Amino acid sequence: MPELTVANYLGMLLEDPYDTRPIKKLRQLLDSEPANKNAQEPLRLIEAARGGHERRGEFLAASLLMEIESELVSDDPEFRSVLVKELGRVRRDELMDDQGARQAYELLGGRESDDPEVVQAVEQIEQAAERWREIAHRFVEEAREAADPRLKTSLLTRAASLIWQYGGEGDAQQADAIFDEALAADPSHLRTARQYALSLRARERWEDVVSVFVLAAKAARSREEKAAAWLQAARVLHRCIGDVEGAAEAYQKVLELTPTDEEALGALVQYFTDKEAWDELAAMYDDALRSRQKLESEKGMLLQLAMVHWRFRNDPESAEPYFARLRKIDAAHPGMLDFYRDQIGSEDSEGRLLTILGDALRTTTDTELQLQLARELAHRADAANRPERALEAWKLVERLSPGDMDARTALQQLYEGSGKWKALSESIRGEIEALSPDATNEKLRLLRDLIPIYRDALSLDSMLIQVYAEILSLSPHDPEALAALAELYQGSERWNELIQVLDRQAEMAQDSEERVALYLRVADLWVERFGNLNQATRPLEQVIAIQPDHPDALARLKEIYTENRKWAALFNVLGKEAELAVDPYARLDKKIEMAELCTSRLHQNAVAIRLWKEILEEAPDTPGALEALEKLAEREKDWETLAAILRRRAEQCEGQPAQVDV
């Protein structure tokens, strides 16, 4: 059970101003929370409640609150003195409590006070305590000689008050008689009625208390006094006697005078509800609504009256005008919204409920209620095929509840249905950003959702490239992304990026033919787009690594190595060409090139000698081969090879003299 607050206890006291238990609980609350003693909020509430009790003549409750209030303003001595002085006056003049008044005045110094009014009041209390019977007798005598009824009643009331306070049980009847005489002289004297009732309450003479207030109510001159007296009578009938019917009649008298009295309304609501007298209950609220009142009170009455017609009388048609009035005052009132939900239902072809919910959404400042209303409005707008209304509502849901998947899904469907592709892409982007770093699969799914938007709907190649790049950052070997990027880079002539993608595709390709084709394409790009033969070398060499007999790659490498004077690499290419050559003459030509390259560029004479020997074995008549081998053998001091060459030349010489020279 939640702890009660200052306002709760003040509310209890308002219901029964003679019940001192709420005051005790209130003191305990303030004592248990010392910080509250100097807080402005409790003080403000107590001050307002005390003023209300004073205006209604409920001086017992007012005095009890005044006492607490004086303690709460101890840091303001001047205001505290005013309160304590008023407390003494109320106890003395209204509650017939001279001793209580004396205690209050003593707080201000009593006889030693700087305030002459306090000193005078204390002296009068002391005199009354000593000579109360004599003073009371004198008041009675003066009253019976007075011609003015009000003066007579006032003097008799003072006499009865003294006798009641200071006399014993045997004097109580005398006091009653004097009170009766006072009211007979002026039945409208409400102060007399209150004091007489106070003495009767102490003896639990409830019927007599009611009689006193009924007499005062009938004789009172103003509507306020009449209403106050009837209210006092009603309380006693209801709480002390248990006369439900009599209390209801008295409360109805109150409402005739003040149609908005909350206590009377509340009591009669309960009374008519218990009797299921719905027509009477509705009529009562109708009467109350015709008078001017505070906005909050009007809201409460409109709701109650509307609910009576709707729920109890089963007459929603009669209830609707009151709910409509309530809607003008509070467009987000939950009871009103429930009524229109029930009456309009799901079939809302005119969009009336959408308008009502929209008004409620605009006026409420409660964030939680805003979210609830926005969801409802969004769902109903979807069902009613009102995409624009649904779009606004779902946007609000997403703003109030970031990351809400229902809202995001609905918004994306609406954006797609209405062709709002940019908004759709932004929504998906927001969803991606909201994901945790390790949500790779979900990010990939959403990124792929962006592809048709940027490609087909918006034709934004730059954004499409970015999406594919993000996909590759999450899944580096994604073949679809690589192929698409290659096509995009080709179309936008971004050759460097295209080469990188082709390289990555080639690394991933499982088929050797596909890899060769990709590397050849990379080589072509380096040569055709950048004129960079050095960079073209690498992909061509990778082709040869995959297919050593690739003739085109070998030919292009040969050309590049020759132009770049990379003789060793050229020598290797020529060697591979020689190995691959089927035609013996072609193979012989390659070997001749290799031998000449070793001789003139690589200066690898031993290798050249070996090659020339092979050439002469295959084609002894090769022009210049024997001469080249002779020079190399002599240069390398390869005497055995040189001797063999000279012998061969001798055999070839024509005529003896030439042979002799060789």
Side-chain angles (χ1 to χ4, degrees):
M1 181 177 178
E3 293 185 3
L4 297 180
T5 64
V6 171
N8 294 140
Y9 291 123
L10 293 176
M12 293 178 189
L13 189 63
L14 181 63
E15 291 179 5
D16 187 354
Y18 294 95
D19 186 356
T20 59
R21 289 174 296 179
I23 290 293
K24 293 178 182 177
K25 294 291 185 181
L26 179 58
R27 279 190 172 280
Q28 291 174 3
L29 176 64
L30 294 173
D31 289 341
S32 65
E33 300 181 24
N36 284 339
K37 285 199 169 184
N38 297 320
Q40 290 300 311
E41 185 65 14
L43 180 60
R44 184 183 63 80
L45 292 173
I46 290 171
E47 183 178 14
R50 184 254 303 169
H53 286 297
E54 283 185 297
R55 286 190 297 275
R56 292 187 296 273
E58 298 161 356
F59 290 105
L60 176 61
S63 68
L64 295 171
L65 291 176
M66 208 177 297
E67 187 175 355
I68 295 175
E69 189 181 352
S70 67
E71 296 170 5
L72 293 175
V73 296
S74 56
D75 57 341
D76 186 350
E78 185 175 348
F79 183 50
R80 177 178 176 274
S81 296
V82 172
L83 278 174
V84 173
K85 185 176 176 180
E86 177 63 10
L87 175 60
R89 185 200 69 76
V90 168
R91 285 175 173 173
R92 185 181 179 206
D93 295 346
E94 303 292 346
L95 299 176
M96 302 185 296
D97 182 10
D98 283 359
Q99 295 306 311
R102 175 71 180 268
Q103 291 173 4
Y105 291 136
E106 290 298 330
L107 295 174
L108 301 177
R111 276 182 168 273
E112 307 300 324
S113 175
D114 296 333
D115 188 334
E117 292 182 9
V118 172
V119 175
Q120 182 181 9
V122 172
E123 290 176 350
Q124 289 175 350
I125 291 171
E126 290 176 349
Q127 289 177 5
E130 293 174 2
R131 301 165 48 208
W132 63 270
R133 197 176 294 279
E134 176 187 341
I135 296 171
H137 180 69
R138 187 172 69 248
F139 282 153
V140 170
E141 287 183 345
E142 291 177 5
R144 288 170 180 166
E145 294 175 0
D148 181 2
R150 293 193 68 79
L151 175 60
K152 181 176 183 177
T153 297
S154 178
L155 291 169
L156 289 171
T157 301
R158 292 174 68 185
S161 171
L162 287 172
I163 296 170
W164 168 252
Q165 284 188 80
Y166 295 104
E169 292 184 9
D171 297 303
Q173 290 184 352
Q174 182 184 2
D176 291 344
I178 296 174
F179 273 128
D180 287 333
E181 187 178 350
L183 286 176
D186 184 5
S188 67
H189 202 284
L190 200 56
R191 181 176 173 187
T192 301
R194 285 196 298 265
Q195 291 192 352
Y196 190 12
L198 199 62
S199 72
L200 295 169
R201 275 180 173 276
R203 291 169 284 172
E204 297 185 357
R205 288 171 55 182
W206 306 118
E207 298 286 352
D208 292 332
V209 173
V210 172
S211 298
V212 167
F213 281 122
V214 168
L215 179 63
K218 291 178 178 178
R221 293 180 174 85
S222 70
R223 294 174 65 87
E224 290 77 10
E225 289 182 344
K226 285 179 178 291
W230 279 118
L231 189 61
Q232 294 285 3
R235 285 172 176 169
V236 176
L237 286 165
H238 179 61
R239 295 173 186 150
C240 303
I241 298 176
D243 183 355
V244 177
E245 297 295 332
E249 291 179 13
Y251 279 126
Q252 285 178 314
K253 296 286 187 182
V254 174
L255 289 185
E256 290 172 6
L257 298 161
T258 55
T260 60
D261 186 274
E262 293 184 4
E263 182 179 341
L265 281 170
L268 287 173
V269 166
Q270 187 63 52
Y271 173 73
F272 289 133
T273 300
D274 291 343
K275 292 182 64 176
E276 298 186 2
W278 310 124
D279 291 342
E280 290 86 343
L281 182 57
M284 180 190 72
Y285 277 124
D286 252 336
D287 290 341
L289 284 170
R290 292 192 186 99
S291 61
R292 293 186 61 185
Q293 55 200 303
K294 294 180 181 178
L295 190 62
E296 284 301 316
S297 297
E298 184 179 357
K299 281 172 56 177
M301 290 180 193
L302 285 169
L303 176 64
Q304 294 298 332
L305 182 53
M307 294 295 282
V308 168
H309 286 301
W310 179 31
R311 294 298 192 191
F312 300 125
R313 299 184 69 242
N314 195 25
D315 185 4
E317 187 175 345
S318 296
E320 201 279 334
Y322 300 105
F323 278 120
R325 286 177 61 182
L326 179 58
R327 181 174 166 233
K328 290 180 180 179
I329 299 172
D330 183 359
H333 194 286
M336 174 272 297
L337 293 176
D338 285 342
F339 170 77
Y340 285 110
R341 288 186 187 107
D342 180 80
Q343 294 303 303
I344 296 174
S346 58
E347 295 297 327
D348 187 18
S349 58
E350 297 179 359
R352 188 182 176 202
L353 186 55
L354 295 181
T355 301
I356 292 170
L357 292 172
D359 291 343
L361 190 56
R362 281 190 295 273
T363 57
T364 184
T365 57
D366 184 330
T367 305
E368 187 175 342
L369 181 58
Q370 283 179 335
L371 180 58
Q372 175 189 334
L373 289 170
R375 284 186 193 281
E376 181 180 0
L377 181 58
H379 284 300
R380 288 183 178 273
D382 280 334
N385 195 24
R386 302 287 182 91
E388 291 302 321
R389 295 296 299 273
L391 194 62
E392 292 175 8
W394 282 122
K395 281 181 180 178
L396 181 56
V397 172
E398 190 175 44
R399 187 162 64 248
L400 294 170
S401 179
D404 187 287
M405 290 309 301
D406 288 341
R408 187 157 287 163
T409 301
L411 280 173
Q412 290 174 11
Q413 291 173 349
L414 288 166
Y415 289 144
E416 186 174 0
S418 58
K420 296 183 178 181
W421 304 111
K422 184 178 179 182
L424 175 57
S425 66
E426 289 173 353
S427 177
I428 296 174
R429 275 288 177 196
E431 191 173 348
I432 293 171
E433 291 169 4
L435 292 171
S436 62
D438 57 348
T440 303
N441 292 335
E442 187 63 17
K443 286 183 180 180
L444 286 171
R445 182 187 67 78
L446 293 169
L447 286 168
R448 290 189 178 100
D449 288 344
L450 287 171
I451 291 171
I453 298 173
Y454 290 136
R455 183 188 62 208
D456 305 329
L458 296 175
S459 300
L460 290 174
D461 285 353
S462 59
M463 296 304 298
L464 198 56
I465 288 171
Q466 180 181 332
V467 169
Y468 281 124
E470 289 180 62
I471 290 174
L472 289 174
S473 69
L474 298 170
S475 178
H477 305 300
D478 188 292
E480 181 186 345
L482 287 169
L485 266 181
E487 186 178 343
L488 288 165
Y489 287 146
Q490 177 81 32
S492 58
E493 299 185 351
R494 294 170 61 171
W495 309 118
N496 272 319
E497 290 92 335
L498 176 57
I499 287 170
Q500 293 173 13
V501 171
L502 293 173
D503 267 334
R504 193 182 296 185
Q505 282 183 298
E507 291 171 7
M508 291 171 49
Q510 300 297 317
D511 181 69
S512 59
E513 291 295 331
E514 182 183 357
R515 294 180 69 195
V516 165
L518 289 166
Y519 282 130
L520 286 174
R521 190 177 173 194
V522 171
D524 287 340
L525 287 170
W526 281 120
V527 175
E528 294 170 7
R529 299 300 174 181
F530 298 101
N532 193 329
L533 296 176
N534 288 330
Q535 291 288 354
T537 304
R538 179 189 58 81
L540 290 170
E541 289 174 343
Q542 287 169 316
V543 171
I544 296 303
I546 299 167
Q547 291 185 10
D549 59 347
H550 196 285
D552 183 47
L554 288 171
R556 292 167 70 178
L557 279 173
K558 180 179 176 181
E559 182 183 347
I560 293 171
Y561 291 152
T562 301
E563 187 170 339
N564 289 342
R565 304 173 68 82
K566 292 186 176 181
W567 309 120
L570 178 60
F571 178 83
N572 292 333
V573 171
L574 291 170
K576 288 181 180 179
E577 285 185 321
E579 292 174 7
L580 297 172
V582 177
D583 184 355
Y585 294 105
R587 183 168 60 250
L588 184 63
D589 288 341
K590 298 299 178 184
K591 284 190 176 183
I592 292 171
E593 283 187 67
M594 292 171 67
E596 289 175 348
L597 188 61
C598 283
T599 303
S600 61
R601 300 298 182 184
L602 295 175
H603 306 292
Q604 294 179 1
N605 294 336
V607 177
I609 289 170
R610 176 179 59 76
L611 287 169
W612 284 118
K613 285 180 178 179
E614 292 177 4
I615 292 167
L616 287 170
E617 286 178 4
E618 295 178 17
D621 297 330
T622 300
L626 199 60
E627 290 79 1
L629 184 58
E630 182 181 353
K631 289 179 182 179
L632 286 169
E634 189 174 359
R635 188 182 303 164
E636 289 294 308
K637 296 182 171 54
D638 184 354
W639 310 123
E640 183 179 355
T641 300
L642 181 59
I645 292 170
L646 290 173
R647 184 180 295 111
R648 187 170 182 173
R649 285 186 62 193
E651 293 172 354
Q652 294 176 352
C653 286
E654 295 180 359
Q656 194 172 12
Q659 279 185 325
V660 171
D661 289 341
V662 173

